[in-house]
Amino acid sequence: MDEHQAGILLECASKYPIPKGVKISYGTAGFRADASILSSTVFRVGILAALRSLKTKSVIGLMITASHNQISDNGVKIADPSGGMLTQEWEPFADLLANAPDPQNLVKLISEFAKKENISFTGVYSAEVLLGRDTRPSGESLLEAARQGITSVVGALATGMGILTTPQLHWMVRYRNKGKSSLESDYFKQISNSFRCLMDYIPREMIASEMDELIVDGANGVGGEKLEVVKKTLSGLVIQVRNSGKEGEGVLNQGVGADFVQKEKIVPSGFGQIDVGKRCASLDGDADRLVYFHVLLGSNNKIELVDGDKILSLFALYIKQQLIILNKEDGHHVHLGIVQTAYANGASTDYLKKMGLEVVLTPTGVKYLHEKAYEYDIGIYFEANGHGTILFSASFLSWLETRNKELASTSEGSEQQLSVKRLLAVSELINQAVGDALSGVLLVEVILRHTGWSIQRWSELYQDLPSRQLKVKVVDRTAVITTNAETEVVKPAGLQAAINCEVAKYTMGRSFIRPSGTEDVIRVYAEASTQEEADHLAKSVAQHVDRFLGFGSS
């Protein structure tokens, strides 16, 4: 780094001093906190994004959002060249950058890191970062802080893409790095066209059965606004958007949204007994999560939740059906993998295995699920909270394209060719960069029409096992070391044996613990055949955690 570059960084950084006493860390959701203390962090992430662009010689994304958090919060995260999340290898540097106490330390860190990573500030490639933000009032000023950070790297370009859902920005980065047009209009065109294709490929006998309109809770966020745009381009699907985020309609994520519905299992604001039995869906604040539900009759606004586990099951069954048709004549082995975490309801995992599907577990966190799903020809992952997607390997997509051409010349319109076309259309509709509630809604709706299922029929695929989650305050969360996708405790010795003894007392019992990523607490998860048993199991495991690790143990 030359003196000119160092001088610019020093001057710009002095305009964004770090607040006293604030320490922040980069997690799955990037940096997230009260918006009032984030300016310096966002400025520094702008620098980080420019460095990442120089390192990878690719376009990088920077999104200002706090997803399902309250409206006073905000956050910032980076999209890597693939459209996925920032590589885990750079997360420690992100933490150091955000917490550097003054401009001098900041520039020293950047200089040392650039040298270590062999990043040239005067090379042929100039950095470019695509910028997006959600509808939060704090977004505009934070976006400017990000822009200042990016452009403090000489030659770096900050390209504003406007107000977006988080998945839209990730999609744009992915397609831009493929050399394809990546405007918001291209995103809408792609998901609308692939939806129409899949609707055209529905078996003729199913087309006659018209489905009721879908009612969507937009969480008073950006997803509601974008869904209003999408629905104008569709035929064969009637969508009513509530909590769309229009001025004065409601507060972002307050009593609305996928996170609220999934956790509370009651109707979001604007829904009630008039919606009994209707097919409803809920997006979260930045539209990267999706859950479905229907309102129960006379139930004090209780709902039957159709969460991410059941969305995964629906997608998996549909794709498996297409592969069965393909394999009738082809014999081409396609490796389909279902990826979950230990927090997936045990009933869903059992159901998927009974359907003959390969299910693997990863540690908790979208980054682990996404990485594992990449190992398959088709990898499907979802968390119960409604975040997930489907990944298609490049080699499998290439095979599908070739097979489609072959079948067009030998057996045009055959069931096998239709299956190939369906899989290709799914790969275009689903957002392979990240979980996307808009593309997810469209795929769910197509598959329900394809199967002729009501939301009630879908909900009855399996019955969730009752579960309970607890937190136990401990002296040092790092004293717990787990293995086998966080389902078994290695240290402290003896704790796993104690958990196993408790689990053995209950029918369908299952329990595991894991340390929190941000605070000195241990999270306890328990399942059993009744709610009372799940509660007892969670409590007894929590008591063992306290005995081994709590303040009494010290």
Side-chain angles (χ1 to χ4, degrees), residues 285-296:
D286 66 338
D288 65 356
R289 293 185 186 184
L290 167 71
V291 295
Y292 270 69
F293 64 93
H294 63 94
V295 184
L296 299 171

Side-chain angles (χ1 to χ4, degrees), residues 205-211 449 452:
E205 63 270 22
M206 302 309 301
I207 294 170
S209 56
E210 283 295 314
M211 292 188 75
R449 280 157 179 75

Side-chain angles (χ1 to χ4, degrees), residues 1-2 4-6 9 47 50-51 54-55 93 107 109-115 118-127 150 152-156:
M1 186 194 301
D2 61 24
H4 175 61
Q5 175 64 85
L9 285 168
I47 298 171
L51 294 176
L54 291 174
K55 170 70 177 178
F93 176 61
V107 173
L109 267 174
I110 293 166
S111 180
E112 289 171 354
F113 185 75
K115 194 173 179 182
N118 199 24
I119 296 169
S120 171
F121 289 90
T122 54
V124 176
Y125 185 83
S126 295
I150 294 160
S152 67
V153 173
V154 173

